[in-house]
Amino acid sequence: MALAIALIALVISAVLFHVFSPWWYTPLASNWALIDTTLSITLLITGAVFIAVNIFIAWCIVRFRQRDGHRATVQQDNRKLEHWLIGLTALGIAAMLAPGLFVYADLIHAPPKAAVIEAIGQQWQWRFRLPGPDGQLGSTDVRFISPTNPFGLNPADPRGQDDILINAPEVHLPVNQPVKILLRSQDVLHDFFVQPFRTRMNMVPGMVTSFWLTPTRTGRYEILCAQLCGVGHFNMRGYVVVDDEAAYQVWLDKQRVTLASATVNTRPLAPPISGTSPVNALASQGQSLAQSKGCVACHSPTTAAGVGPGWQGLYGKHERLAGGASALVDDAYLREAITSPNSKRVEGFQPVMPKIELNDQEVNALIAYIKSLSAKPAATTARQ
Amino acid sequence: MNDATTRTDRPDPDAAARLGLWVLLAVITVLFLQFIQAYAVRSGSADWLRLPEPALLRWNTLALLLASVALQSAAMRPHGTIPLWFGGLFGCAFLVGQLLAWQQLRSLGFGVAGNPASSFFYLLTGMHGAHVLGGLLAWGLLMVRVRVRARHGADIAPGARLCARYWHFLLLVWLLLYGVLFLIPPATLQVICGGS
Amino acid sequence: MAYPEQDHAPHSFWTRYVWSQDHKVIAVQYTITAIAVGLVALVLSNLMRLQIGFPGRFAFIDANHYYQFVTMHGMIMVIYLLTALFLGGFGNYLIPLMVGARDMVFPFLNMLSYWMYLLAVLVLMGSFFVPGGPTGAGWTLYPPQAILPGTPGSGGGIVLMLVSLAIFIVAATMGGLNYVTTVLQARTRGMTLMRLPLTVWGILVATIMALLAFPALFVSAVMMLFDRLLGTSFFMPAVVSMGQALAYKGGSPILFQHLFWFFGHPEVYIVALPAFGIVSDLISTHARKNIFGYRMMVWAIVIIGVLSFVVWAHHMYVSGMNPWFGFFFATTTLIIAVPTAIKVYNWLLTLWRGDIHLTVPMLFAIGFVSTFVIGGLTGLFLGNVSTDMPLSNTYFVVAHFHMVMGVSPILAIFGGIYHWYPKVTGRLMNDTLGKLHFWVTFVGSYAIYFPMHYLGILGMPRRYYAYDNYAFIPPSAQQLNAFITVAALIVGTFQLVFLYNLARSAFNGLPSGPNPWGSASLEWQTPENPPGHGNWGSALPEVHRWPYDYSVPGTSTDFLPQTSTSPLGCEAKPDRTAP
């Protein structure tokens, strides 16, 4: 009896949970409304079956539970009933499968007029590439990748010369324009996942994958990596900004200018540290670099250890190194740690830090930033 | 392994062993088909280089064939142990020959790493060799049983039949691998395997 | 004819309990080892839940450890607990008793199978103690990341994992040869295939599937070992890892995924089919009614077994494989729902007009049906290729597969253990503790996994160490995660009640008598209880009917055992009985 009550309570609380749950899809921002529709159809059918099955079990328990003098009624099978059930099940399945396959046929056929952009994944950061005035992306290969050519552009390919390279984890898309996103990875599997877009695809080293969508709502959306890609997986952050036509042009022109001046993109992603003194300006540049170079995937700006040590309070501290030695964290220590990673290893961390090509000025900026995190009292910079 | 021969309410142990062997052969077949499927997929990539065929392999094939013939004749003649000895001997010769073929290839500059065709050569012949080794182990157990049972004049034919069947199977697998590695062009193989 | 001393009959403690060739002892060895290693995996799951529910509160769980816990929890639960317990534990114990055999047909191989399994477990546990720790690549072990330095345990951990899997597969093959051959060759007189209990059918088909599916895992493990140790490029494309160009070139990561899931999907049913069988028998016995549509149930098991080999790529819709595959695999995947639904209907129709005894095994069996149904239904979201797009690799997936192949098979295992415990020990497990265990586990599992689906729909990706500063995840999601963690800790802790009951009842349980549930199937008709070595005393039993003659009209007794010669009964008509 208790089980019957529990099953009915279960059904009721499941329905209530569904109705009152604040956790549901984020509002759709692409043309894939049909995916949501298919999902709703599936939810309706499966929800009805879930309720029916549990209620039926509960009713059986109440009606046919063991009592004195009660005996089971033997019935070997019932062909007619079973055929009906099979037929109904097949019908329900078809009702879910058919719209699903229709949507899928659209999902895998990008319209020919779709603009093409490229997203590149690396442990644990994003970069992007847009075709230049010639409208074509140049060819690439992993073997061309070097600190000065992080995109692996083929130097011999003229189509690649004018490509717009965005060495930062943020890309813009024009609203209501179909776009086909080509995906590449230089190390392990990643996945380009923007929940409001609904569609997505893995990034596989050694091949180019793709998916397409038409963004329908302007706004700034988070890109998540949704395929386990190592210890910094959860911090592989990126942003896609859907702009109206005018804003998109402004952004695009800025990218072209940045490219022309051939400097590293250091546009800040987070509000810069306040103050305008030269030291603060340097630290502020360091903060931008920490974002754009993906340092923050492993090093948090707090005391909390991530994949690597947290930066707050790090400067001036004595770190215990693996092997028992200890070292004072000063400018020289940080410089060595940045320019030749893993030469010294702090106890409790893995030697997994990549070597990222930085000029002296940039290293100084990062050191200034790390220093700035230790200069202030802990309370003001700690999160929460 | 079990004494069921003495009991009437036990299943026929030979029938059980025969069935067991068939199931085992099915499992090993699936194993090698999976390897070949992987080979077919991988052989479609751009960095694939065809491997030169070590001349020794033909002699090895002959040795394996002779081992199979010898064991078959042992299975059909319940009391002679000489063909059994030959079976094992040719089996060992095959393995030694395969090792020599490895060395030949290595001296030609085809190591395990490097181009995927040679990686697959070592992988597939190694896997097959491991199964030949297992067959030799079974053969060794059979020889021990021959020693023990010879005194009682017991029939070793069922054991020899199983052993022979396994060796025929190993021969077939080897011929299949040989064909895949050196005879069938990768493009044909990809069509057969529905390659993607 | 007197039952003669067997050549592997036990003579001392060592041969009786350690190097035993008796299927019943081997079954207990398998079960205890699997439960022990499962306990490790349970602790790991609670540790990772602590991090998700209360991030940063437990300093010793850093990102490396978190990924290692995730990986080891998954692999242990799927392979070393569920597969080993259903086939090595239940299969070993029940097959000879249910088909009327004295033992497995190859007892020595059976013993070897257990020791190989133990070796595989020890190698796996060894990876906790190597430098760098166990692998943190996720239980799917996808290359390239599984063997690259950005992943914890890419040194010794991944190598030991792959070696352990290879050993496990050899062990499973040895066992599998035995189970299949025993069912096909060693059935006693009168035991036709269509008189086998569904438990045996489930285990038989699952074993055949394991024999055909595990080679794919073996192939992928061996090839990945080559890539890792010998520098071959089977799965490894050219990569620049951590700023360094590696020597790999041209390999295909997607090839690994195909091989892995060619094993991985049948594996789901390798776990599910024995659970189907066990639950069918529990429901029939405790509802005192024959299983509804026995023949349909057998065919459903066989059809599911066959279909499960052509659905694997539904795990790879977003992998970058040829997109045309999506149509094929979505269709086959949804078709497999039909035979599965038939099984559910027949369980329900068995309860209908039954005489339902709410014993502890029955509670677990009904709990299985409820949890399996929700897990199966959510599978329809993920199997249908376009609805999988927003849900793939989110918590929806985690909730789905934990319901369908975590909670529900475990409930079937618990039900089976409470049901057959009197057979193994001659004693009943404590009823009150059993009910307590059921209620906490059943209600707790819903509390854990039902809300988790909604986090997935929201878009929370799985395998995240922390969710700091993701704007689209509301703070309430963190509160829900804390709730789920508390529920998981409670459920985890209450499994100790089960372990206590299991251990204590072996010595202090009430004597059960030979057939406490009034079960008709053959394993309860042994001359001794628990059965002695050789199971059947002097003569093998003779079977005259199917195992589901409960509440037969015209009989005074509640059930007719399979050995009964009564002319009454409601078995399927002989003209429809397969040989």
Side-chain angles (χ1 to χ4, degrees):
Chain A
M1 264 321 250
L3 187 56
I5 296 166
L7 287 172
I8 291 169
L10 188 73
V11 168
I12 294 171
S13 41
V15 171
L16 289 178
F17 186 93
H18 177 79
V19 172
F20 293 106
S21 162
W23 306 288
W24 199 239
Y25 339 114
T26 50
L28 183 72
S30 79
N31 58 323
W32 294 116
L34 272 175
I35 290 185
D36 288 2
T37 312
T38 312
L39 225 136
S40 304
I41 296 174
T42 312
L43 185 74
L44 212 65
I45 296 175
T46 54
V49 175
F50 171 74
I51 293 169
V53 166
N54 281 297
I55 297 282
F56 185 84
I57 297 176
W59 177 71
C60 281
I61 291 170
V62 175
R63 178 75 183 72
F64 303 113
R65 70 183 186 280
Q66 185 205 2
R67 294 180 301 261
D68 285 342
H70 177 66
R71 195 174 158 108
T73 314
V74 166
Q75 183 179 23
Q76 204 202 336
D77 58 5
N78 182 339
R79 285 299 164 99
K80 208 172 145 193
L81 177 63
E82 292 196 58
H83 288 157
W84 267 104
L85 286 172
I86 292 174
L88 276 176
T89 309
L91 209 66
I93 297 284
M96 290 180 272
L97 183 61
L101 291 186
F102 275 111
V103 183
Y104 186 63
D106 283 346
L107 270 170
I108 61 173
H109 288 112
K113 65 180 167 77
V116 173
I117 69 161
E118 187 185 61
I120 300 125
Q122 175 194 338
Q123 283 170 327
W124 292 279
Q125 49 190 308
W126 304 91
R127 354 184 126 82
F128 302 91
R129 186 163 66 116
L130 274 61
D134 66 351
Q136 285 180 306
L137 289 169
S139 61
T140 57
D141 195 299
V142 170
R143 72 198 140 102
F144 298 125
I145 292 180
S146 69
T148 51
N149 183 5
F151 290 80
L153 291 174
N154 181 353
D157 187 347
R159 290 173 304 168
Q161 303 300 325
D162 63 345
D163 286 356
I164 299 170
L165 306 178
I166 303 168
N167 203 354
E170 180 173 312
V171 71
H172 289 227
L173 296 174
V175 73
N176 293 330
Q177 298 281 324
V179 58
K180 180 177 182 180
I181 303 180
L182 303 179
L183 303 168
R184 273 196 301 136
S185 164
Q186 70 169 57
D187 41 32
V188 301
L189 300 176
H190 300 284
D191 185 282
F192 187 101
F193 180 44
V194 178
Q195 214 280 338
F197 289 167
R198 303 296 189 262
T199 180
R200 52 115 72 102
M201 190 52 70
N202 274 11
M203 319 169 84
V204 186
M207 63 189 283
V208 178
T209 55
S210 71
F211 69 98
W212 80 275
L213 73 149
T214 307
T216 54
R217 207 157 49 80
T218 55
R220 191 160 188 262
Y221 306 104
E222 286 160 316
I223 308 171
L224 291 93
C225 178
Q227 181 64 265
L228 180 55
C229 61
V231 70
H233 171 53
F234 63 101
N235 249 337
M236 185 164 158
R237 292 157 193 268
Y239 295 93
V240 52
V241 178
V242 178
D243 283 335
D244 56 38
E245 191 55 42
Y248 180 71
Q249 274 311 325
V250 172
W251 175 80
L252 197 62
D253 292 342
K254 209 159 130 197
Q255 298 308 311
R256 291 201 175 116
V257 171
T258 314
L259 187 70
S261 66
T263 56
V264 183
N265 184 331
T266 55
R267 205 169 39 77
L269 290 162
I273 292 170
S274 57
T276 50
S277 72
V279 174
N280 271 347
L282 199 61
S284 162
Q285 190 200 349
Q287 185 182 23
S288 306
L289 278 168
Q291 300 270 2
S292 67
K293 297 289 181 185
C295 308
V296 290
C298 305
H299 300 281
S300 98
T302 68
T303 53
V307 176
W311 282 345
Q312 187 179 30
L314 180 65
Y315 192 88
K317 186 177 160 195
H318 284 273
E319 281 280 40
R320 267 174 66 85
L321 301 180
S326 136
L328 173 70
V329 180
D330 53 11
D331 284 45
Y333 174 92
L334 286 175
R335 183 174 304 277
E336 188 194 354
I338 294 170
T339 51
S340 50
N342 312 326
S343 57
K344 287 195 185 114
R345 184 158 68 85
V346 177
E347 194 171 70
F349 296 97
Q350 302 294 315
V352 296
M353 178 160 155
K355 181 167 165 50
I356 292 172
E357 202 59 28
L358 297 162
N359 59 36
D360 276 353
Q361 210 274 338
E362 287 168 334
V363 174
N364 289 336
L366 277 173
I367 293 173
Y369 174 52
I370 295 169
K371 233 167 153 173
S372 75
L373 289 174
S374 306
K376 297 176 196 173
T380 60
T381 48
R383 287 173 304 170
Q384 288 146 6
Chain B
M1 252 183 227
N2 79 53
D3 63 337
T5 41
T6 58
R7 209 176 304 125
T8 53
D9 64 356
R10 271 268 180 167
D12 174 10
D14 286 345
R18 274 201 304 277
L19 181 66
L21 182 64
W22 280 118
V23 178
L24 178 66
L25 297 190
V27 174
I28 300 175
T29 307
V30 175
L31 177 73
F32 277 100
L33 288 181
Q34 293 284 359
F35 273 119
I36 291 170
Q37 175 75 41
Y39 178 91
V41 173
R42 187 69 179 80
S43 69
S45 59
D47 60 339
W48 190 264
L49 282 174
R50 200 92 174 128
L51 208 60
E53 182 189 332
L56 198 57
L57 286 188
R58 313 227 155 170
W59 293 104
N60 294 351
T61 311
L62 185 67
L64 196 60
L65 179 70
L66 287 174
S68 212
V69 170
L71 285 172
Q72 182 61 32
S73 81
M76 297 193 311
R77 238 165 308 170
H79 294 293
T81 55
I82 298 190
L84 262 187
W85 279 111
F86 270 104
L89 219 61
F90 282 123
C92 292
F94 172 80
L95 274 187
V96 173
Q98 292 291 76
L99 285 175
L100 288 175
W102 279 13
Q103 278 197 333
Q104 267 185 15
L105 262 186
R106 190 118 55 106
S107 61
L108 288 174
F110 292 92
V112 181
N115 110 64
S118 75
S119 305
F120 265 109
F121 175 79
Y122 289 100
L123 176 68
L124 293 178
T125 51
M127 267 292 141
H128 180 259
H131 284 87
V132 173
L133 210 62
L136 282 174
L137 205 71
W139 172 81
L141 286 174
L142 184 68
M143 295 314 286
V144 171
R145 195 174 291 188
V146 167
R147 279 286 171 92
V148 175
R149 297 234 172 142
R151 279 176 246 144
H152 311 295
D155 188 8
I156 54 141
R161 268 200 294 273
L162 291 181
C163 218
R165 192 168 292 164
Y166 183 70
W167 283 92
H168 300 338
F169 171 76
L170 287 179
L171 178 65
L172 281 178
V173 170
W174 171 242
L175 291 176
L176 180 66
L177 292 181
Y178 194 91
V180 165
L181 284 168
F182 298 107
L183 303 180
I184 307 171
T188 318
L189 193 66
Q190 282 153 34
V191 171
I192 297 170
C193 297
S196 52
Chain C
M1 174 178 156
Y3 180 58
E5 186 78 347
Q6 272 188 281
D7 56 350
H8 64 274
H11 298 290
S12 71
F13 173 83
W14 284 95
T15 47
R16 187 183 296 249
Y17 297 113
V18 183
W19 306 108
S20 172
Q21 299 183 27
D22 186 319
H23 72 101
K24 298 184 292 296
V25 179
I26 295 172
V28 173
Q29 289 173 327
Y30 253 114
T31 306
I32 291 175
T33 312
I35 290 178
V37 75
L39 207 60
V40 173
L42 182 72
V43 171
L44 293 178
S45 77
N46 278 346
L47 287 176
M48 77 177 114
R49 264 324 310 180
L50 279 180
Q51 166 59 26
I52 303 172
F54 308 100
R57 201 75 65 80
F58 300 89
F60 68 98
I61 310 172
D62 62 20
N64 280 307
H65 286 135
Y66 177 78
Y67 287 113
Q68 289 169 330
F69 295 163
V70 170
T71 306
M72 296 304 274
H73 164 77
M75 194 59 103
I76 291 174
M77 285 296 192
V78 172
I79 308 269
Y80 298 85
L81 170 69
L82 289 173
T83 310
L85 192 48
F86 273 121
L87 301 184
F90 283 97
N92 247 319
Y93 198 89
L94 294 176
I95 287 174
L97 284 167
M98 282 185 159
V99 305
R102 295 212 177 274
D103 205 317
M104 290 287 176
V105 291
F106 311 120
F108 180 76
L109 202 60
N110 205 17
M111 177 182 80
L112 217 54
S113 162
Y114 169 71
W115 289 103
M116 291 291 275
Y117 165 63
L118 185 66
L119 179 65
V121 167
L122 292 178
V123 170
L124 187 75
M125 291 299 122
S127 74
F128 279 101
F129 303 100
V130 295
T135 176
W139 87 280
T140 49
L141 305 179
Y142 281 178
Q145 61 117 350
I147 61 176
L148 290 183
T151 300
S154 58
I158 183 71
V159 172
L160 287 183
M161 166 66 82
L162 295 170
V163 169
S164 169
L165 283 175
I167 300 172
F168 179 88
I169 292 164
V170 173
T173 305
M174 288 174 169
L177 286 177
N178 247 319
Y179 313 150
V180 173
T181 314
T182 304
V183 174
L184 295 182
Q185 283 284 329
R187 297 191 310 277
T188 190
R189 187 174 305 171
M191 181 62 89
T192 61
L193 286 177
M194 280 298 170
R195 279 178 176 168
L196 289 175
L198 286 171
T199 300
V200 177
W201 267 109
I203 293 174
L204 173 68
V205 175
T207 305
I208 294 172
M209 289 169 62
L211 289 173
L212 300 180
F214 270 122
L217 181 64
F218 189 82
V219 167
S220 40
V222 169
M223 285 168 68
M224 183 138 57
L225 271 177
F226 267 58
D227 279 3
R228 171 70 184 73
L229 297 176
L230 303 174
T232 57
S233 299
F234 292 124
F235 304 130
M236 296 296 286
V239 293
V240 175
S241 169
M242 302 293 162
Q244 281 191 309
L246 303 183
Y248 298 114
K249 189 165 171 277
S252 166
I254 292 189
L255 173 59
F256 176 88
Q257 298 180 26
H258 277 296
L259 285 168
F260 184 87
W261 289 114
F262 187 82
F263 144 77
H265 198 79
E267 168 65 25
V268 173
Y269 290 95
I270 290 167
V271 170
L273 292 184
F276 289 173
I278 288 170
V279 164
S280 304
D281 285 351
L282 295 191
I283 288 183
S284 170
T285 307
H286 296 274
R288 313 310 298 161
K289 185 165 170 258
N290 64 287
I291 192 79
F292 191 90
Y294 171 80
R295 303 178 58 80
M296 198 79 98
M297 292 295 257
V298 172
W299 282 111
I301 287 179
V302 174
I303 291 169
I304 291 172
V306 173
L307 280 179
S308 70
F309 279 97
V310 292
V311 299
W312 78 88
H314 66 214
H315 296 268
M316 298 167 58
Y317 289 146
V318 297
S319 71
M321 66 172 179
N322 184 339
W324 288 98
F325 288 179
F327 292 106
F328 175 78
F329 285 102
T331 309
T332 53
T333 302
L334 265 66
I335 288 175
I336 210 172
V338 176
T340 315
I342 291 173
K343 299 205 70 84
V344 174
Y345 299 144
N346 285 357
W347 292 322
L348 299 183
L349 290 168
T350 305
L351 290 174
W352 183 54
R353 298 163 79 182
D355 176 22
I356 299 171
H357 291 51
L358 287 174
T359 56
V360 174
M362 186 60 152
L363 291 176
F364 277 101
I366 292 174
F368 167 90
V369 176
S370 179
T371 52
F372 179 76
V373 164
I374 184 171
L377 290 172
T378 51
L380 293 167
F381 290 78
L382 300 171
N384 200 351
V385 53
S386 47
T387 38
D388 178 59
M389 289 284 160
L391 298 176
S392 175
N393 255 320
T394 65
Y395 266 93
F396 192 90
V397 177
V398 178
H400 156 70
F401 73 72
H402 274 92
M403 268 303 191
V404 82
M405 81 171 296
V407 174
S408 73
I410 284 284
L411 292 182
I413 284 175
F414 286 141
I417 289 178
Y418 283 102
H419 182 80
W420 280 294
Y421 192 82
K423 190 75 229 164
V424 181
T425 62
R427 293 174 187 278
L428 288 161
M429 285 176 79
N430 183 297
D431 206 49
T432 315
L433 290 180
K435 282 186 171 146
L436 178 68
H437 176 219
F438 168 76
W439 282 110
V440 175
T441 310
F442 178 68
V443 176
S445 301
Y446 262 102
I448 296 169
Y449 296 110
F450 191 86
M452 204 184 271
H453 291 96
Y454 288 80
L455 293 179
I457 291 177
L458 170 69
M460 273 181 96
R462 68 181 177 137
R463 294 170 165 177
Y464 265 37
Y465 170 66
Y467 296 87
D468 301 332
N469 303 330
Y470 282 105
F472 82 100
I473 300 174
S476 59
Q478 185 53 49
Q479 291 157 15
L480 185 60
N481 263 327
F483 166 79
I484 291 173
T485 295
V486 171
L489 290 174
I490 293 172
V491 172
T493 311
F494 269 79
Q495 303 313 307
L496 294 176
V497 173
F498 168 72
L499 290 182
Y500 173 77
N501 198 353
L502 195 71
R504 192 181 147 85
S505 301
F507 307 101
N508 292 329
L510 292 173
S512 64
N515 191 355
W517 315 113
S519 177
S521 53
L522 197 57
E523 80 274 19
W524 295 99
Q525 325 304 334
T526 53
E528 299 168 68
N529 189 55
H533 189 70
N535 295 346
W536 302 104
S538 57
L540 285 179
E542 201 168 320
V543 167
H544 299 278
R545 61 187 64 249
W546 73 341
Y548 298 110
D549 269 338
Y550 296 104
S551 308
V552 176
T555 56
S556 55
T557 53
D558 187 32
F559 68 102
L560 296 171
Q562 278 189 285
T563 49
S564 158
T565 51
S566 159
L568 295 164
C570 39
E571 189 179 356
K573 294 181 194 75
D575 63 280
R576 285 200 265 145
T577 306

